[in-house]
Amino acid sequence: MGGGDCKLMNHRQHTCRTGMTLFELMLALALSTLLLAGLVGVLSGVSKQAKVSESFEQPAWPSRTADILRNDLLAAESLWRQGETVWMLTDAPPYQGIENPSRRVGYACQAISDDQHALVRIAGTHTALLGLGPTEFVLERIDGNGIAQPLPHQPGPVPASARLLVRGPEDMFLNQDLLIR
């Protein structure tokens, strides 16, 4: 006969058992509970990892760099580009514990190893690290028609607005227009 343990009690009577014993039910429940607990553990781990990776996607230094640069530009008397460095003559307050602030402040990307570059702020003899990864720092004047113009190679007036571009080998870290005055 189909399905289950059938016993022949006598020649005419059959008893068929089609369910599970209490022990079998408890064992199945315990195994399914362990399986679900493992699944919940894996899913919570994946969720935590996704949150951590999202927090590292956008670095925080580009916005801080734009703020520091804007403060320097607000206090600048003149602005120019010399080689790969943007210089300004400023009376800006010192940042990051500079004891003897220089009136000459510069921004540049420098190689710190064969495959790593950094954006730095130079004030006197102090060089402050602003961010890792950028290979190019560009600051352009924006004229009255909204067209970006390169900075002069000699000290010149500070424009009313400027375009800030910070690029890496594959990424654009910052592309922002700054209203200075």
Side-chain angles (χ1 to χ4, degrees):
M1 307 219 149
D5 295 324
C6 290
K7 295 181 182 175
L8 185 59
M9 299 294 279
N10 56 32
H11 293 302
R12 295 183 189 153
Q13 210 176 19
H14 291 260
T15 57
C16 291
R17 191 172 65 95
T18 58
M20 299 172 74
T21 64
L22 180 61
F23 177 74
E24 290 171 334
L25 281 172
M26 290 181 67
L27 184 62
L29 182 63
L31 288 174
S32 63
T33 302
L34 285 173
L35 184 63
L36 284 175
L39 183 61
V40 166
V42 167
L43 290 177
S44 70
V46 168
S47 173
K48 286 179 186 176
Q49 185 64 31
K51 287 178 185 175
V52 167
S53 66
E54 284 176 11
S55 68
F56 287 115
E57 283 182 13
Q58 295 296 326
W61 64 262
S63 63
R64 287 194 306 263
T65 298
D67 292 341
I68 293 170
L69 176 64
R70 186 170 185 282
N71 286 339
D72 283 342
L73 287 169
L74 283 170
E77 298 169 2
S78 60
L79 181 67
W80 70 99
R81 182 172 195 95
Q82 185 177 14
E84 297 300 314
T85 305
V86 173
W87 290 102
M88 60 191 79
L89 199 58
T90 179
D91 59 358
Y95 291 100
Q96 301 181 1
I98 301 171
E99 294 174 10
N100 297 316
S102 171
R103 293 192 60 207
R104 188 172 166 166
V105 175
Y107 288 82
C109 290
Q110 297 179 346
I112 54 176
S113 69
D114 289 339
D115 60 344
Q116 183 74 328
H117 289 78
L119 175 62
V120 296
R121 178 181 183 272
I122 306 158
T125 59
H126 182 76
T127 301
L129 175 66
L130 297 176
L132 291 174
T135 56
E136 184 179 14
F137 177 86
V138 177
L139 187 66
E140 300 172 319
R141 300 176 296 160
I142 297 179
D143 66 14
N145 297 323
I147 299 172
Q149 303 288 331
L151 292 178
H153 295 288
Q154 299 295 322
V158 178
S161 60
R163 177 161 298 141
L164 172 61
L165 304 167
V166 180
R167 297 183 186 111
E170 299 173 4
D171 300 323
M172 174 69 79
F173 291 105
L174 199 53
N175 182 357
Q176 183 176 349
D177 288 349
L178 303 172
L179 183 61
I180 302 168
R181 303 187 196 281

